[in-house]
Amino acid sequence: MTIKRRIKIIFLHLAKAFGLLACCRLLNRKKWRILCYHGFSYEDEHLFRPGLFMRQSVFKKRIQWLKKKGFHFYTISKAFELWKTNTLPPHSLTLTFDDGFYSTKELAQAYLKQENIPSTLYLTSYYAKKGSPIFRLMVQYLFWKNKKYPVHLNSPQDHSFLVIKGPGPYEEKIIWDIIHYGEQKLDNDGRQHLLTNLNDHLHIKPPFACGHKFLTLMGIKDLQTLSQRGMEIQLHTHRHKLPAEEKLLHKELQENKDFLKFLNTDLVHLSYPSGIYEKNHFKLLEKEGIKSATTLDKGLNDRKTSPFGLKRLADHDTLRQIEFEALVSGFVLF
């Protein structure tokens, strides 16, 4: 931990002790808070990508604190309806989950159901449709997991690898060479075959052997279960990208909607993939019938916030509890 962050955390504890966080929550009571989560950790995913995966124990602690402080939970649709009519109750909050990792169902939503807390999942549908691990993430995970046997792609034709004994100085380049080759030259079956060979060469026990759908997105049956349990499901594009060109944007949204048509509900809320957006997206999304779009811009939402630029508070595993409390309270620091 850096000295700057240590000072920040000490300051936050002092601010909490003197009631400043509570004052901020009171002053910001009419603002709409939207929290952002992604996946959850079965084993060591939170160490691999702490910004993407969270331990269930940390998530439970967050929820218990929010309940204790009297926050009201709404889906994105319900909160948006109340927000647009200026009838959103004080201390209102929406829990959102991007992508649709299988762990969201087992480690997050199952707990939220016990607590009777509504939430919204923004699903990206390409890998949900394929039912296989996300290629890019799995390549990065395998290299992160075992540093003893760096490899590079030896023969693209037969997907073989050449093992390099000892640390490789160009490992990051090798990782991206493999990712770009798989994404640009192979179909999904080819990419999964490539992952199997890579895993064998790195001598790693397959993480998916543990019985979990590791780094995998939920399919239709799992999504149906979530919907029946009360989790709202909305749009996150098909290939996890949102082009600025109208025809390509329409295609991304339409394929996303087509996959989710079994829900038989209005699909009118979107989360920008990776939080990336351009101003011209606003008019295009409105033309597509989209009512709201969430970003990863940090902040709380008031009446002046654009419905196509809704701010979110991104929570992650390395965020200390006191930092989380300050974030939700609206206590902004350096």
Side-chain angles (χ1 to χ4, degrees):
M1 185 187 301
T2 65
I3 294 176
K4 183 177 179 179
R5 190 176 178 200
R6 286 180 187 274
I7 295 172
K8 173 184 177 181
I9 289 173
I10 291 171
F11 188 85
L12 288 176
H13 278 293
L14 290 172
K16 180 179 179 179
F18 283 100
L20 295 181
L21 299 193
C23 285
C24 279
R25 286 196 300 276
L26 182 63
L27 290 172
N28 292 314
R29 64 190 181 280
K30 294 184 178 181
K31 294 183 179 180
W32 177 19
R33 295 157 170 84
I34 307 175
L35 290 180
C36 174
Y37 296 92
H38 290 82
F40 294 82
S41 182
Y42 286 119
E43 296 181 0
D44 56 4
E45 300 97 303
H46 64 285
L47 300 175
F48 162 58
R49 285 286 190 276
L52 199 60
F53 299 100
M54 175 177 280
R55 288 168 292 175
Q56 186 187 45
S57 60
V58 175
F59 181 67
K60 286 183 176 181
K61 189 173 182 179
R62 308 292 207 232
I63 298 301
Q64 289 305 314
W65 181 85
L66 292 170
K67 288 182 64 179
K68 182 180 178 180
K69 296 305 176 183
F71 283 97
H72 305 288
F73 299 89
Y74 298 96
T75 63
I76 200 76
S77 292
K78 182 61 178 177
F80 181 79
E81 176 186 328
L82 296 170
W83 180 70
K84 287 293 288 182
T85 57
N86 203 24
T87 56
L88 190 67
H91 305 293
S92 292
L93 183 144
T94 298
L95 298 173
T96 64
F97 302 85
D98 284 9
D99 302 328
F101 286 100
Y102 192 79
S103 58
T104 299
K105 172 175 177 272
E106 288 198 331
L107 302 180
Q109 204 281 329
Y111 173 68
L112 293 178
K113 185 176 185 297
Q114 293 176 12
E115 298 292 326
N116 196 30
I117 294 175
S119 58
T120 296
L121 169 69
Y122 291 113
L123 182 92
T124 184
S125 44
Y126 178 84
Y127 276 105
K129 185 176 182 179
K130 297 297 182 182
S132 54
I134 298 173
F135 176 74
R136 177 178 296 201
L137 265 182
M138 187 62 83
V139 170
Q140 293 168 332
Y141 176 83
L142 291 175
F143 272 91
W144 171 83
K145 186 73 173 176
N146 192 329
K147 298 289 187 178
K148 294 181 180 179
Y149 300 95
V151 302
H152 67 75
L153 193 61
N154 186 42
S155 173
Q157 287 72 28
D158 60 10
H159 303 175
S160 67
F161 292 88
L162 176 65
V163 178
I164 306 170
K165 301 296 182 182
Y170 307 111
E171 185 171 25
E172 191 65 25
K173 181 181 183 304
I174 292 169
I175 290 172
W176 282 104
D177 283 347
I178 293 171
I179 290 172
H180 290 152
Y181 170 71
E183 291 180 347
Q184 296 171 11
K185 302 294 184 181
L186 303 177
D187 59 14
N188 190 61
D189 288 341
R191 287 192 288 272
Q192 299 312 309
H193 177 58
L194 186 64
L195 283 176
T196 299
N197 286 354
L198 176 59
N199 186 80
D200 291 342
H201 279 81
L202 291 175
H203 303 281
I204 299 172
K205 178 184 177 182
F208 34 86
C210 65
H212 302 301
K213 295 186 177 180
F214 192 82
L215 300 185
T216 300
L217 303 187
M218 289 175 280
I220 289 178
K221 289 185 178 180
D222 297 309
L223 295 168
Q224 286 175 327
T225 299
L226 284 187
S227 181
Q228 291 165 3
R229 288 179 179 175
M231 179 178 257
E232 178 184 36
I233 302 173
Q234 289 291 337
L235 303 169
H236 198 38
T237 74
H238 184 61
R239 298 171 187 81
H240 203 263
K241 62 181 181 180
L242 189 66
E245 200 278 317
E246 185 173 0
K247 289 184 179 180
L248 295 177
L249 178 143
H250 173 78
K251 185 174 185 293
E252 276 297 320
L253 293 180
Q254 191 58 53
E255 288 184 88
N256 203 193
K257 290 177 181 179
D258 288 345
F259 179 79
L260 292 172
K261 62 184 178 182
F262 66 90
L263 294 171
N264 194 29
T265 189
D266 290 334
L267 298 169
V268 293
H269 300 282
L270 170 77
S271 170
Y272 293 110
S274 301
I276 299 172
Y277 67 97
E278 300 178 20
K279 288 294 183 180
N280 69 314
H281 277 137
F282 293 10
K283 289 184 178 180
L284 294 177
L285 291 176
E286 188 173 17
K287 186 176 179 180
E288 290 287 336
I290 301 299
K291 292 183 178 180
S292 81
T294 54
T295 70
L296 284 177
D297 296 345
K298 185 168 68 174
L300 311 181
N301 299 289
D302 56 25
R303 298 295 302 156
K304 296 179 181 179
T305 308
S306 167
F308 299 105
L310 293 175
K311 301 171 184 177
R312 286 194 291 178
L313 305 172
D315 193 9
H316 53 85
D317 197 82
T318 57
L319 200 69
R320 297 290 183 91
Q321 179 66 23
I322 187 65
E323 293 176 297
F324 172 78
E325 293 177 16
L327 191 69
V328 174
S329 299
F331 191 83
V332 180
L333 286 176
F334 48 88

